[in-house]
Short mmCIF file of all heavy atoms in Angstrom, two decimals:
data_model
loop_
_atom_site.label_atom_id
_atom_site.label_comp_id
_atom_site.label_asym_id
_atom_site.label_seq_id
_atom_site.Cartn_x
_atom_site.Cartn_y
_atom_site.Cartn_z
N MET Y 13 0.84 -1.17 0.00
CA MET Y 13 0.00 0.00 0.00
C MET Y 13 0.90 1.23 0.00
O MET Y 13 1.93 1.27 0.64
CB MET Y 13 -0.89 -0.04 1.25
CG MET Y 13 -1.67 1.21 1.47
SD MET Y 13 -2.96 1.08 2.71
CE MET Y 13 -2.07 0.72 4.18
N VAL Y 14 0.47 2.24 -0.73
CA VAL Y 14 1.18 3.51 -0.77
C VAL Y 14 0.18 4.60 -0.40
O VAL Y 14 -0.84 4.76 -1.07
CB VAL Y 14 1.77 3.81 -2.16
CG1 VAL Y 14 2.41 5.18 -2.19
CG2 VAL Y 14 2.78 2.74 -2.53
N LEU Y 15 0.46 5.32 0.67
CA LEU Y 15 -0.37 6.45 1.06
C LEU Y 15 0.40 7.73 0.78
O LEU Y 15 1.53 7.89 1.24
CB LEU Y 15 -0.71 6.39 2.55
CG LEU Y 15 -1.59 5.22 2.99
CD1 LEU Y 15 -1.75 5.24 4.51
CD2 LEU Y 15 -2.93 5.27 2.32
N PRO Y 16 -0.19 8.65 0.03
CA PRO Y 16 0.50 9.92 -0.23
C PRO Y 16 0.55 10.75 1.04
O PRO Y 16 -0.19 10.49 2.00
CB PRO Y 16 -0.38 10.58 -1.29
CG PRO Y 16 -1.72 9.99 -1.11
CD PRO Y 16 -1.50 8.59 -0.62
N PRO Y 17 1.40 11.76 1.09
CA PRO Y 17 1.49 12.58 2.30
C PRO Y 17 0.17 13.28 2.61
O PRO Y 17 -0.36 14.04 1.81
CB PRO Y 17 2.56 13.62 1.97
CG PRO Y 17 3.30 13.07 0.80
CD PRO Y 17 2.38 12.15 0.09
N ILE Y 18 -0.39 12.97 3.77
CA ILE Y 18 -1.61 13.59 4.26
C ILE Y 18 -1.33 14.03 5.68
O ILE Y 18 -1.02 13.21 6.54
CB ILE Y 18 -2.80 12.61 4.22
CG1 ILE Y 18 -3.08 12.15 2.79
CG2 ILE Y 18 -4.04 13.23 4.84
CD1 ILE Y 18 -4.11 11.07 2.68
N ALA Y 19 -1.45 15.31 5.93
CA ALA Y 19 -1.20 15.90 7.25
C ALA Y 19 0.19 15.53 7.76
O ALA Y 19 0.38 15.24 8.94
CB ALA Y 19 -2.28 15.47 8.24
N GLY Y 20 1.15 15.48 6.87
CA GLY Y 20 2.53 15.20 7.27
C GLY Y 20 2.86 13.73 7.45
O GLY Y 20 3.97 13.39 7.85
N PHE Y 21 1.92 12.85 7.18
CA PHE Y 21 2.16 11.42 7.35
C PHE Y 21 2.02 10.73 6.00
O PHE Y 21 1.08 10.98 5.25
CB PHE Y 21 1.14 10.82 8.33
CG PHE Y 21 1.25 9.33 8.46
CD1 PHE Y 21 2.28 8.77 9.18
CD2 PHE Y 21 0.33 8.51 7.86
CE1 PHE Y 21 2.39 7.39 9.29
CE2 PHE Y 21 0.43 7.13 7.96
CZ PHE Y 21 1.46 6.57 8.69
N SER Y 22 2.96 9.87 5.68
CA SER Y 22 2.85 9.05 4.47
C SER Y 22 3.35 7.65 4.81
O SER Y 22 4.07 7.44 5.78
CB SER Y 22 3.65 9.64 3.32
OG SER Y 22 5.03 9.56 3.60
N TYR Y 23 2.96 6.69 4.00
CA TYR Y 23 3.34 5.31 4.25
C TYR Y 23 3.55 4.60 2.92
O TYR Y 23 2.77 4.75 1.99
CB TYR Y 23 2.26 4.58 5.04
CG TYR Y 23 2.53 3.11 5.21
CD1 TYR Y 23 3.47 2.68 6.14
CD2 TYR Y 23 1.89 2.17 4.43
CE1 TYR Y 23 3.74 1.32 6.29
CE2 TYR Y 23 2.15 0.82 4.57
CZ TYR Y 23 3.08 0.41 5.51
OH TYR Y 23 3.37 -0.92 5.65
N THR Y 24 4.60 3.82 2.83
CA THR Y 24 4.85 2.96 1.68
C THR Y 24 5.16 1.58 2.22
O THR Y 24 6.10 1.40 3.00
CB THR Y 24 6.03 3.46 0.83
OG1 THR Y 24 5.74 4.79 0.41
CG2 THR Y 24 6.25 2.59 -0.38
N GLY Y 25 4.33 0.61 1.84
CA GLY Y 25 4.49 -0.75 2.33
C GLY Y 25 5.72 -1.45 1.77
O GLY Y 25 6.46 -0.91 0.96
N TYR Y 26 5.92 -2.69 2.18
CA TYR Y 26 7.10 -3.45 1.81
C TYR Y 26 7.19 -3.69 0.30
O TYR Y 26 8.22 -3.43 -0.32
CB TYR Y 26 7.12 -4.79 2.54
CG TYR Y 26 8.29 -5.66 2.12
CD1 TYR Y 26 9.56 -5.44 2.64
CD2 TYR Y 26 8.14 -6.67 1.17
CE1 TYR Y 26 10.65 -6.21 2.24
CE2 TYR Y 26 9.21 -7.45 0.77
CZ TYR Y 26 10.46 -7.21 1.31
OH TYR Y 26 11.52 -7.97 0.91
N PHE Y 27 6.11 -4.19 -0.30
CA PHE Y 27 6.17 -4.52 -1.72
C PHE Y 27 6.40 -3.31 -2.60
O PHE Y 27 7.27 -3.34 -3.47
CB PHE Y 27 4.92 -5.29 -2.16
CG PHE Y 27 4.92 -6.71 -1.68
CD1 PHE Y 27 4.14 -7.09 -0.61
CD2 PHE Y 27 5.73 -7.67 -2.28
CE1 PHE Y 27 4.16 -8.39 -0.15
CE2 PHE Y 27 5.75 -8.97 -1.84
CZ PHE Y 27 4.97 -9.34 -0.76
N PRO Y 28 5.66 -2.21 -2.42
CA PRO Y 28 5.95 -1.04 -3.26
C PRO Y 28 7.35 -0.47 -3.03
O PRO Y 28 8.00 0.00 -3.96
CB PRO Y 28 4.88 -0.03 -2.87
CG PRO Y 28 3.79 -0.82 -2.28
CD PRO Y 28 4.43 -2.00 -1.65
N ALA Y 29 7.81 -0.52 -1.80
CA ALA Y 29 9.11 0.06 -1.50
C ALA Y 29 10.27 -0.77 -2.04
O ALA Y 29 11.28 -0.22 -2.49
CB ALA Y 29 9.27 0.23 0.01
N HIS Y 30 10.14 -2.10 -2.01
CA HIS Y 30 11.26 -2.95 -2.36
C HIS Y 30 11.14 -3.66 -3.72
O HIS Y 30 12.15 -4.00 -4.32
CB HIS Y 30 11.46 -4.02 -1.28
CG HIS Y 30 11.86 -3.43 0.02
ND1 HIS Y 30 10.95 -3.12 1.01
CD2 HIS Y 30 13.06 -3.07 0.51
CE1 HIS Y 30 11.58 -2.61 2.04
NE2 HIS Y 30 12.88 -2.56 1.76
N LEU Y 31 9.93 -3.91 -4.17
CA LEU Y 31 9.78 -4.72 -5.38
C LEU Y 31 9.26 -3.96 -6.58
O LEU Y 31 9.58 -4.32 -7.72
CB LEU Y 31 8.84 -5.91 -5.10
CG LEU Y 31 9.30 -6.84 -3.98
CD1 LEU Y 31 8.25 -7.91 -3.74
CD2 LEU Y 31 10.63 -7.48 -4.33
N THR Y 32 8.47 -2.93 -6.38
CA THR Y 32 7.84 -2.27 -7.53
C THR Y 32 8.22 -0.80 -7.65
O THR Y 32 7.52 -0.04 -8.32
CB THR Y 32 6.31 -2.40 -7.45
OG1 THR Y 32 5.86 -1.77 -6.26
CG2 THR Y 32 5.86 -3.85 -7.49
N ASN Y 33 9.29 -0.38 -7.04
CA ASN Y 33 9.79 0.99 -7.18
C ASN Y 33 8.78 2.06 -6.74
O ASN Y 33 8.67 3.09 -7.36
CB ASN Y 33 10.20 1.24 -8.62
CG ASN Y 33 11.66 1.57 -8.74
OD1 ASN Y 33 12.39 1.55 -7.76
ND2 ASN Y 33 12.09 1.87 -9.95
N GLY Y 34 8.00 1.77 -5.71
CA GLY Y 34 7.07 2.74 -5.18
C GLY Y 34 5.72 2.78 -5.86
O GLY Y 34 4.90 3.63 -5.56
N VAL Y 35 5.47 1.85 -6.79
CA VAL Y 35 4.19 1.82 -7.50
C VAL Y 35 3.24 0.89 -6.76
O VAL Y 35 3.61 -0.20 -6.34
CB VAL Y 35 4.38 1.35 -8.95
CG1 VAL Y 35 3.06 1.29 -9.68
CG2 VAL Y 35 5.35 2.27 -9.67
N ASP Y 36 1.99 1.34 -6.61
CA ASP Y 36 0.98 0.59 -5.86
C ASP Y 36 0.10 -0.18 -6.83
O ASP Y 36 -0.58 0.40 -7.67
CB ASP Y 36 0.15 1.60 -5.06
CG ASP Y 36 -0.63 0.96 -3.95
OD1 ASP Y 36 -0.32 -0.19 -3.60
OD2 ASP Y 36 -1.52 1.62 -3.42
N TYR Y 37 0.10 -1.52 -6.74
CA TYR Y 37 -0.64 -2.36 -7.66
C TYR Y 37 -1.82 -3.12 -7.06
O TYR Y 37 -2.39 -3.97 -7.74
CB TYR Y 37 0.29 -3.40 -8.30
CG TYR Y 37 1.27 -2.81 -9.27
CD1 TYR Y 37 2.61 -2.75 -8.96
CD2 TYR Y 37 0.84 -2.33 -10.49
CE1 TYR Y 37 3.52 -2.21 -9.86
CE2 TYR Y 37 1.74 -1.79 -11.39
CZ TYR Y 37 3.07 -1.73 -11.06
OH TYR Y 37 3.95 -1.20 -11.96
N PRO Y 38 -2.24 -2.90 -5.84
CA PRO Y 38 -3.34 -3.70 -5.29
C PRO Y 38 -4.65 -3.59 -6.08
O PRO Y 38 -5.43 -4.53 -6.09
CB PRO Y 38 -3.54 -3.16 -3.88
CG PRO Y 38 -2.23 -2.59 -3.51
CD PRO Y 38 -1.67 -2.06 -4.79
N TRP Y 39 -4.88 -2.49 -6.75
CA TRP Y 39 -6.12 -2.38 -7.53
C TRP Y 39 -6.15 -3.40 -8.66
O TRP Y 39 -7.22 -3.90 -9.02
CB TRP Y 39 -6.29 -0.95 -8.06
CG TRP Y 39 -5.25 -0.54 -9.05
CD1 TRP Y 39 -4.02 -0.01 -8.80
CD2 TRP Y 39 -5.34 -0.65 -10.47
NE1 TRP Y 39 -3.35 0.22 -9.97
CE2 TRP Y 39 -4.13 -0.16 -11.02
CE3 TRP Y 39 -6.32 -1.11 -11.34
CZ2 TRP Y 39 -3.89 -0.12 -12.39
CZ3 TRP Y 39 -6.07 -1.06 -12.70
CH2 TRP Y 39 -4.87 -0.56 -13.20
N LEU Y 40 -4.98 -3.74 -9.20
CA LEU Y 40 -4.93 -4.77 -10.25
C LEU Y 40 -5.26 -6.15 -9.67
O LEU Y 40 -5.98 -6.92 -10.29
CB LEU Y 40 -3.56 -4.80 -10.91
CG LEU Y 40 -3.24 -3.65 -11.85
CD1 LEU Y 40 -1.78 -3.70 -12.28
CD2 LEU Y 40 -4.15 -3.68 -13.04
N VAL Y 41 -4.73 -6.41 -8.49
CA VAL Y 41 -5.00 -7.69 -7.83
C VAL Y 41 -6.49 -7.78 -7.52
O VAL Y 41 -7.13 -8.81 -7.76
CB VAL Y 41 -4.15 -7.84 -6.56
CG1 VAL Y 41 -4.53 -9.10 -5.80
CG2 VAL Y 41 -2.67 -7.84 -6.92
N GLY Y 42 -7.08 -6.70 -6.99
CA GLY Y 42 -8.50 -6.69 -6.68
C GLY Y 42 -9.36 -6.87 -7.92
O GLY Y 42 -10.37 -7.58 -7.90
N LEU Y 43 -8.97 -6.24 -9.01
CA LEU Y 43 -9.71 -6.38 -10.26
C LEU Y 43 -9.65 -7.82 -10.77
O LEU Y 43 -10.66 -8.39 -11.20
CB LEU Y 43 -9.13 -5.42 -11.30
CG LEU Y 43 -9.84 -5.37 -12.64
CD1 LEU Y 43 -11.26 -4.85 -12.48
CD2 LEU Y 43 -9.06 -4.48 -13.60
N LEU Y 44 -8.49 -8.42 -10.72
CA LEU Y 44 -8.31 -9.79 -11.19
C LEU Y 44 -9.12 -10.77 -10.32
O LEU Y 44 -9.85 -11.61 -10.84
CB LEU Y 44 -6.83 -10.17 -11.19
CG LEU Y 44 -6.51 -11.59 -11.62
CD1 LEU Y 44 -6.84 -11.79 -13.09
CD2 LEU Y 44 -5.06 -11.91 -11.36
N VAL Y 45 -9.00 -10.63 -9.01
CA VAL Y 45 -9.70 -11.55 -8.10
C VAL Y 45 -11.21 -11.40 -8.25
O VAL Y 45 -11.94 -12.39 -8.35
CB VAL Y 45 -9.25 -11.32 -6.64
CG1 VAL Y 45 -10.14 -12.06 -5.67
CG2 VAL Y 45 -7.80 -11.74 -6.47
N SER Y 46 -11.70 -10.15 -8.26
CA SER Y 46 -13.15 -9.96 -8.38
C SER Y 46 -13.66 -10.44 -9.73
O SER Y 46 -14.77 -10.99 -9.82
CB SER Y 46 -13.53 -8.50 -8.14
OG SER Y 46 -12.94 -7.67 -9.13
N GLY Y 47 -12.89 -10.27 -10.78
CA GLY Y 47 -13.28 -10.77 -12.08
C GLY Y 47 -13.37 -12.29 -12.12
O GLY Y 47 -14.30 -12.86 -12.69
N LEU Y 48 -12.41 -12.95 -11.51
CA LEU Y 48 -12.43 -14.42 -11.46
C LEU Y 48 -13.59 -14.93 -10.62
O LEU Y 48 -14.24 -15.92 -10.98
CB LEU Y 48 -11.10 -14.96 -10.94
CG LEU Y 48 -9.91 -14.77 -11.88
CD1 LEU Y 48 -8.61 -15.19 -11.19
CD2 LEU Y 48 -10.11 -15.55 -13.17
N VAL Y 49 -13.87 -14.27 -9.51
CA VAL Y 49 -15.01 -14.67 -8.66
C VAL Y 49 -16.32 -14.48 -9.43
O VAL Y 49 -17.19 -15.35 -9.42
CB VAL Y 49 -15.02 -13.87 -7.34
CG1 VAL Y 49 -16.33 -14.06 -6.58
CG2 VAL Y 49 -13.85 -14.29 -6.47
N TYR Y 50 -16.45 -13.35 -10.10
CA TYR Y 50 -17.66 -13.09 -10.91
C TYR Y 50 -17.82 -14.15 -11.99
O TYR Y 50 -18.92 -14.68 -12.20
CB TYR Y 50 -17.59 -11.71 -11.54
CG TYR Y 50 -18.76 -11.40 -12.43
CD1 TYR Y 50 -19.98 -11.00 -11.89
CD2 TYR Y 50 -18.65 -11.53 -13.81
CE1 TYR Y 50 -21.05 -10.74 -12.71
CE2 TYR Y 50 -19.71 -11.28 -14.63
CZ TYR Y 50 -20.92 -10.87 -14.08
OH TYR Y 50 -21.98 -10.62 -14.90
N LEU Y 51 -16.75 -14.47 -12.69
CA LEU Y 51 -16.80 -15.48 -13.73
C LEU Y 51 -17.23 -16.83 -13.16
O LEU Y 51 -18.09 -17.52 -13.72
CB LEU Y 51 -15.44 -15.60 -14.42
CG LEU Y 51 -15.35 -16.60 -15.56
CD1 LEU Y 51 -16.24 -16.17 -16.72
CD2 LEU Y 51 -13.91 -16.72 -16.02
N GLY Y 52 -16.65 -17.20 -12.04
CA GLY Y 52 -17.00 -18.48 -11.42
C GLY Y 52 -18.44 -18.53 -10.96
O GLY Y 52 -19.14 -19.53 -11.16
N LEU Y 53 -18.92 -17.44 -10.37
CA LEU Y 53 -20.30 -17.43 -9.89
C LEU Y 53 -21.31 -17.33 -11.03
O LEU Y 53 -22.40 -17.89 -10.96
CB LEU Y 53 -20.51 -16.28 -8.91
CG LEU Y 53 -19.78 -16.40 -7.58
CD1 LEU Y 53 -19.99 -15.16 -6.74
CD2 LEU Y 53 -20.23 -17.64 -6.83
N SER Y 54 -20.97 -16.63 -12.09
CA SER Y 54 -21.92 -16.48 -13.19
C SER Y 54 -22.07 -17.77 -14.00
O SER Y 54 -23.08 -17.96 -14.67
CB SER Y 54 -21.50 -15.33 -14.11
OG SER Y 54 -20.31 -15.63 -14.79
N ARG Y 55 -21.11 -18.65 -13.93
CA ARG Y 55 -21.22 -19.92 -14.65
C ARG Y 55 -22.23 -20.85 -14.00
O ARG Y 55 -22.69 -21.80 -14.63
CB ARG Y 55 -19.87 -20.61 -14.75
CG ARG Y 55 -18.92 -19.88 -15.67
CD ARG Y 55 -17.75 -20.79 -16.00
NE ARG Y 55 -16.90 -20.21 -17.00
CZ ARG Y 55 -17.06 -20.39 -18.30
NH1 ARG Y 55 -18.03 -21.13 -18.74
NH2 ARG Y 55 -16.24 -19.84 -19.16
N SER Y 56 -22.57 -20.60 -12.75
CA SER Y 56 -23.50 -21.48 -12.05
C SER Y 56 -24.95 -21.03 -12.19
O SER Y 56 -25.83 -21.59 -11.56
CB SER Y 56 -23.12 -21.57 -10.57
OG SER Y 56 -23.33 -20.31 -9.95
N LEU Y 57 -25.23 -20.02 -13.01
CA LEU Y 57 -26.59 -19.55 -13.21
C LEU Y 57 -27.40 -20.57 -14.01
O LEU Y 57 -26.89 -21.17 -14.96
CB LEU Y 57 -26.60 -18.22 -13.96
CG LEU Y 57 -26.12 -17.00 -13.20
CD1 LEU Y 57 -26.12 -15.79 -14.12
CD2 LEU Y 57 -27.00 -16.73 -12.01
N ASP Y 58 -28.65 -20.74 -13.62
CA ASP Y 58 -29.57 -21.61 -14.36
C ASP Y 58 -30.37 -20.73 -15.31
O ASP Y 58 -31.37 -20.12 -14.93
CB ASP Y 58 -30.48 -22.34 -13.37
CG ASP Y 58 -31.40 -23.31 -14.06
OD1 ASP Y 58 -31.23 -23.55 -15.28
OD2 ASP Y 58 -32.29 -23.85 -13.38
N LEU Y 59 -29.93 -20.62 -16.55
CA LEU Y 59 -30.54 -19.72 -17.52
C LEU Y 59 -31.95 -20.12 -17.88
O LEU Y 59 -32.79 -19.26 -18.17
CB LEU Y 59 -29.67 -19.62 -18.76
CG LEU Y 59 -28.27 -19.00 -18.54
CD1 LEU Y 59 -27.50 -18.97 -19.83
CD2 LEU Y 59 -28.40 -17.62 -17.96
N ALA Y 60 -32.27 -21.41 -17.87
CA ALA Y 60 -33.62 -21.86 -18.21
C ALA Y 60 -34.62 -21.34 -17.17
O ALA Y 60 -35.69 -20.85 -17.53
CB ALA Y 60 -33.66 -23.37 -18.28
N SER Y 61 -34.28 -21.43 -15.89
CA SER Y 61 -35.20 -20.92 -14.87
C SER Y 61 -35.29 -19.40 -14.91
O SER Y 61 -36.33 -18.82 -14.62
CB SER Y 61 -34.78 -21.40 -13.47
OG SER Y 61 -33.55 -20.82 -13.11
N GLU Y 62 -34.20 -18.73 -15.28
CA GLU Y 62 -34.23 -17.28 -15.43
C GLU Y 62 -35.20 -16.88 -16.55
O GLU Y 62 -35.99 -15.96 -16.40
CB GLU Y 62 -32.84 -16.72 -15.73
CG GLU Y 62 -31.88 -16.80 -14.58
CD GLU Y 62 -32.18 -15.82 -13.47
OE1 GLU Y 62 -32.72 -14.73 -13.76
OE2 GLU Y 62 -31.90 -16.14 -12.32
N GLN Y 63 -35.13 -17.58 -17.68
CA GLN Y 63 -36.03 -17.29 -18.80
C GLN Y 63 -37.48 -17.57 -18.42
O GLN Y 63 -38.38 -16.81 -18.80
CB GLN Y 63 -35.63 -18.10 -20.04
CG GLN Y 63 -34.35 -17.65 -20.68
CD GLN Y 63 -34.45 -16.22 -21.20
OE1 GLN Y 63 -35.49 -15.78 -21.66
NE2 GLN Y 63 -33.34 -15.52 -21.11
N ALA Y 64 -37.74 -18.63 -17.67
CA ALA Y 64 -39.10 -18.94 -17.23
C ALA Y 64 -39.62 -17.83 -16.31
O ALA Y 64 -40.78 -17.43 -16.40
CB ALA Y 64 -39.12 -20.28 -16.51
N ALA Y 65 -38.78 -17.33 -15.42
CA ALA Y 65 -39.19 -16.25 -14.52
C ALA Y 65 -39.47 -14.97 -15.30
O ALA Y 65 -40.41 -14.24 -15.00
CB ALA Y 65 -38.11 -16.01 -13.47
N ILE Y 66 -38.69 -14.71 -16.33
CA ILE Y 66 -38.91 -13.52 -17.17
C ILE Y 66 -40.24 -13.63 -17.90
O ILE Y 66 -41.03 -12.67 -17.94
CB ILE Y 66 -37.74 -13.33 -18.16
CG1 ILE Y 66 -36.47 -12.91 -17.41
CG2 ILE Y 66 -38.10 -12.32 -19.24
CD1 ILE Y 66 -35.22 -12.94 -18.26
N ARG Y 67 -40.52 -14.82 -18.46
CA ARG Y 67 -41.79 -15.01 -19.16
C ARG Y 67 -42.97 -14.86 -18.21
O ARG Y 67 -43.98 -14.23 -18.56
CB ARG Y 67 -41.81 -16.37 -19.86
CG ARG Y 67 -40.95 -16.42 -21.11
CD ARG Y 67 -41.19 -17.68 -21.91
NE ARG Y 67 -40.83 -18.90 -21.18
CZ ARG Y 67 -39.61 -19.43 -21.15
NH1 ARG Y 67 -38.63 -18.85 -21.82
NH2 ARG Y 67 -39.38 -20.54 -20.48
N ALA Y 68 -42.87 -15.42 -17.00
CA ALA Y 68 -43.95 -15.29 -16.01
C ALA Y 68 -44.15 -13.84 -15.62
O ALA Y 68 -45.28 -13.36 -15.49
CB ALA Y 68 -43.63 -16.14 -14.79
N SER Y 69 -43.08 -13.11 -15.47
CA SER Y 69 -43.17 -11.69 -15.12
C SER Y 69 -43.82 -10.90 -16.25
O SER Y 69 -44.64 -10.01 -16.00
CB SER Y 69 -41.78 -11.15 -14.82
OG SER Y 69 -41.83 -9.78 -14.56
N GLU Y 70 -43.45 -11.21 -17.48
CA GLU Y 70 -44.04 -10.53 -18.64
C GLU Y 70 -45.55 -10.80 -18.72
O GLU Y 70 -46.34 -9.90 -19.00
CB GLU Y 70 -43.35 -10.96 -19.93
CG GLU Y 70 -41.93 -10.45 -20.08
CD GLU Y 70 -41.85 -8.93 -20.20
OE1 GLU Y 70 -42.78 -8.31 -20.73
OE2 GLU Y 70 -40.84 -8.38 -19.74
N ARG Y 71 -45.96 -12.06 -18.47
CA ARG Y 71 -47.38 -12.39 -18.48
C ARG Y 71 -48.13 -11.61 -17.39
O ARG Y 71 -49.21 -11.09 -17.62
CB ARG Y 71 -47.59 -13.89 -18.28
CG ARG Y 71 -47.30 -14.72 -19.52
CD ARG Y 71 -47.79 -16.15 -19.36
NE ARG Y 71 -47.23 -16.82 -18.19
CZ ARG Y 71 -46.08 -17.50 -18.18
NH1 ARG Y 71 -45.37 -17.60 -19.28
NH2 ARG Y 71 -45.66 -18.08 -17.08
N GLU Y 72 -47.53 -11.54 -16.21
CA GLU Y 72 -48.16 -10.81 -15.11
C GLU Y 72 -48.28 -9.32 -15.45
O GLU Y 72 -49.32 -8.70 -15.18
CB GLU Y 72 -47.35 -11.00 -13.83
CG GLU Y 72 -48.00 -10.40 -12.61
CD GLU Y 72 -47.24 -10.70 -11.35
OE1 GLU Y 72 -46.50 -11.71 -11.30
OE2 GLU Y 72 -47.39 -9.92 -10.40
N LEU Y 73 -47.26 -8.75 -16.05
CA LEU Y 73 -47.33 -7.34 -16.44
C LEU Y 73 -48.39 -7.10 -17.51
O LEU Y 73 -49.08 -6.09 -17.50
CB LEU Y 73 -45.97 -6.86 -16.94
CG LEU Y 73 -44.91 -6.61 -15.88
CD1 LEU Y 73 -43.57 -6.29 -16.52
CD2 LEU Y 73 -45.33 -5.48 -14.95
N GLN Y 74 -48.55 -8.05 -18.42
CA GLN Y 74 -49.56 -7.91 -19.46
C GLN Y 74 -50.97 -7.94 -18.87
O GLN Y 74 -51.85 -7.19 -19.30
CB GLN Y 74 -49.41 -8.99 -20.52
CG GLN Y 74 -48.22 -8.77 -21.43
CD GLN Y 74 -48.00 -9.91 -22.40
OE1 GLN Y 74 -48.69 -10.93 -22.35
NE2 GLN Y 74 -47.04 -9.74 -23.30
N THR Y 75 -51.19 -8.80 -17.86
CA THR Y 75 -52.51 -8.84 -17.22
C THR Y 75 -52.78 -7.56 -16.44
O THR Y 75 -53.90 -7.08 -16.42
CB THR Y 75 -52.67 -10.06 -16.30
OG1 THR Y 75 -51.66 -10.03 -15.30
CG2 THR Y 75 -52.58 -11.35 -17.08
N ILE Y 76 -51.76 -7.01 -15.82
CA ILE Y 76 -51.93 -5.75 -15.09
C ILE Y 76 -52.24 -4.62 -16.06
O ILE Y 76 -53.11 -3.79 -15.82
CB ILE Y 76 -50.68 -5.42 -14.25
CG1 ILE Y 76 -50.53 -6.41 -13.11
CG2 ILE Y 76 -50.73 -4.00 -13.73
CD1 ILE Y 76 -49.23 -6.30 -12.37
N ASP Y 77 -51.52 -4.56 -17.19
CA ASP Y 77 -51.74 -3.51 -18.18
C ASP Y 77 -53.09 -3.67 -18.87
O ASP Y 77 -53.69 -2.68 -19.29
CB ASP Y 77 -50.63 -3.52 -19.24
CG ASP Y 77 -49.31 -2.98 -18.70
OD1 ASP Y 77 -49.34 -2.28 -17.67
OD2 ASP Y 77 -48.26 -3.27 -19.32
N GLY Y 78 -53.58 -4.91 -19.00
CA GLY Y 78 -54.85 -5.17 -19.65
C GLY Y 78 -56.04 -4.78 -18.80
O GLY Y 78 -57.14 -4.58 -19.30
N GLU Y 79 -55.87 -4.66 -17.52
CA GLU Y 79 -57.00 -4.33 -16.63
C GLU Y 79 -57.38 -2.89 -16.70
O GLU Y 79 -56.75 -1.97 -16.91
CB GLU Y 79 -56.67 -4.71 -15.19
CG GLU Y 79 -56.54 -6.18 -15.01
CD GLU Y 79 -56.21 -6.57 -13.57
OE1 GLU Y 79 -55.89 -5.69 -12.76
OE2 GLU Y 79 -56.28 -7.75 -13.29
#
């Protein structure tokens, strides 16, 4: 983690100070991890039941609009 000077205090963690020349990369790690989690969770969706729920909702909306 790299914190810019705020009220006279700043902090540079071990990895940015020693391995990456002061550059902070945790946002890349967070993006990669969250993307992989999203991909894994989205593969478990049951699309057939989603489509059935959409059709049922559309039918219900049509009956409401028809009244």
